[in-house]
């Protein structure tokens, strides 16, 4: 069993798995001000909550898009389980092939999700990750990462909308009963949920046209569950995609 951490700008996804079984998965708020010891206490408490003894953990792996926190989190994991975790980087032995201008610029989270997707689905693939940003990754029919798109995430869009207008309130991210809102709150919810769903449907169609092939579409990330049910396209939701990808990369790095 290993401990896996995917460090995003908003949340840290933490889980324990052994490839065949995910023992738990949870989310912590990403806090750049926390110390190594504070994170170590949090990790130990999570293991205790899920009744996972640290002695059972043979290793760990960290994927991070928050460089200032990466070493702090690695040291925190080491303090709890006594093993320094592996770190996903552009040079990791993950086997993913790229056909883009600067492969080293691809976020580790996108690489991890692509590795997981290719282990379970036949390409061509589109992978949507809805977090702080909404990212769209494209894998062509040869299994090569060939690019994608990056858009403002739902939370960023909502904060920009309410922060720059005087009369628009903060809202929860749930769909209204009707796409045509009859009050300010429902109008905003319609734009956020139905508007994002329509954007994803449109992007998928354009990507298929560019590839010349139909694609299988996957979605992950904390906000995907709020939007994907309202898409017209068939989209497979997999909240565990990053954790499963970290297992795949951990095994590849250990066997190098």
């Amino acid at each position: 069993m290993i401990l896996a951490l995917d460090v995003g700008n908003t949340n840290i996804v933490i889980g324990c798995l052994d490839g065949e079984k995910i023992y738990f998965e949870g989310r912590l708020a990403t806090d750049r001000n926390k110390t190594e010891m504070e994170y170590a206490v949090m990790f130990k408490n999570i293991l205790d909550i899920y009744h996972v003894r640290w002695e059972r953990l043979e290793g760990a792996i960290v994927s991070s898009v928050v460089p200032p926190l990466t070493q702090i989190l690695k040291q925190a994991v080491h303090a709890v389980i006594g093993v320094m975790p592996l770190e996903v980087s552009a040079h990791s032995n993950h086997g993913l092939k790229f056909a883009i201008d600067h492969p080293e610029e691809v976020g580790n989270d996108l690489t991890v999700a692509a590795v997981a997707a290719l282990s379970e689905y036949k390409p061509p693939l589109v992978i949507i990750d809805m977090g702080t940003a909404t990212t769209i990754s494209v894998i062509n029919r040869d299994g090569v990462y060939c690019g994608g798109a990056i858009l403002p995430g739902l939370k960023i869009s909502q904060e920009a909308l309410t922060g720059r207008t005087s009369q628009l309130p903060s809202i929860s991210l749930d769909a209204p009963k009707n796409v045509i809102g009859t009050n300010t709150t429902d109008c905003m919810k319609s734009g956020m949920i139905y508007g994002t769903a329509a954007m994803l449907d449109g992007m998928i169609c354009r990507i298929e046209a560019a590839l010349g092939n139909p694609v299988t579409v996957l979605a992950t990330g904390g906000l995907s569950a709020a939007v994907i049910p309202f898409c017209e396209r068939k989209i497979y939701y997999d909240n565990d995609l990053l954790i499963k990808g970290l297992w795949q990369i951990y095994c590849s790095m250990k066997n190098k």
Side-chain angles (χ1 to χ4, degrees):
M1 187 195 310
I2 69 166
L3 182 68
L5 297 179
D6 179 74
V7 185
N9 288 292
T10 302
N11 291 309
I12 299 171
V13 178
I14 179 172
C16 279
L17 71 164
D18 63 11
E20 297 180 359
K21 179 178 179 180
I22 298 175
Y23 292 88
F24 75 84
E25 180 179 329
R27 292 174 184 270
L28 302 171
T30 302
D31 188 341
R32 293 165 177 79
N33 296 317
K34 276 190 167 55
T35 65
E36 168 192 323
M37 188 54 63
E38 287 175 310
Y39 274 114
V41 170
M42 294 171 71
F43 296 159
K44 187 177 186 304
N45 287 341
I46 289 173
L47 293 177
D48 289 341
I49 288 170
Y50 288 100
H51 308 291
V52 175
R53 296 183 60 83
W54 67 266
E55 297 94 334
R56 295 179 60 193
L57 296 168
E58 66 181 56
I61 186 167
V62 174
S63 169
S64 174
V65 296
V66 189
L69 270 183
T70 305
Q71 195 59 30
I72 290 172
L73 292 169
K74 289 175 65 177
Q75 292 293 342
V77 170
H78 182 265
V80 175
I81 70 173
V83 176
M84 185 61 73
L86 301 177
E87 179 184 347
V88 179
S89 73
H91 307 291
S92 298
N93 181 36
H94 46 64
L96 186 63
K97 297 179 180 179
F98 295 92
I100 59 176
D101 296 336
H102 304 287
E104 69 280 1
E105 294 180 358
V106 176
N108 291 329
D109 53 342
L110 306 185
T111 297
V112 171
V115 169
L118 283 168
S119 72
E120 296 189 21
Y121 297 89
K122 183 179 179 180
L125 301 170
V126 168
I127 306 163
I128 300 165
D129 189 346
M130 299 186 69
T132 306
T134 295
T135 60
I136 302 174
S137 298
V138 181
I139 314 295
N140 67 22
R141 63 182 179 182
D142 297 318
V144 177
Y145 189 108
C146 62
I150 302 174
L151 305 97
L154 271 176
K155 289 284 189 180
I156 289 177
S157 298
Q158 179 188 3
E159 290 166 3
L161 190 62
T162 57
R164 290 180 173 269
T165 55
S166 300
Q167 294 183 309
L168 295 183
S170 295
I171 59 170
S172 59
L173 291 176
D174 54 278
K177 294 181 180 180
N178 197 307
V179 69
I180 303 173
T182 56
N183 56 69
T184 299
T185 296
D186 281 355
C187 285
M188 293 175 67
K189 288 183 176 182
S190 177
M192 297 299 294
I193 302 299
Y194 292 118
T196 301
M199 176 275 293
L200 293 176
D201 286 333
M203 287 296 290
I204 293 165
C205 288
R206 289 170 182 258
I207 289 168
E208 285 184 328
L211 290 177
N213 300 110
V215 298
T216 298
V217 187
L218 314 176
T220 191
L223 298 173
S224 292
V227 175
I228 298 309
F230 302 98
C231 291
E232 295 182 352
R233 292 294 303 254
K234 173 64 177 178
I235 300 177
Y236 297 96
Y237 176 65
D238 188 346
N239 193 49
D240 301 324
L241 194 65
L242 291 172
I243 292 291
K244 292 188 287 189
L246 286 171
W247 170 262
Q248 298 284 338
I249 295 175
Y250 176 87
C251 292
S252 296
M253 293 175 72
K254 292 292 287 186
N255 294 330
K256 184 177 180 180

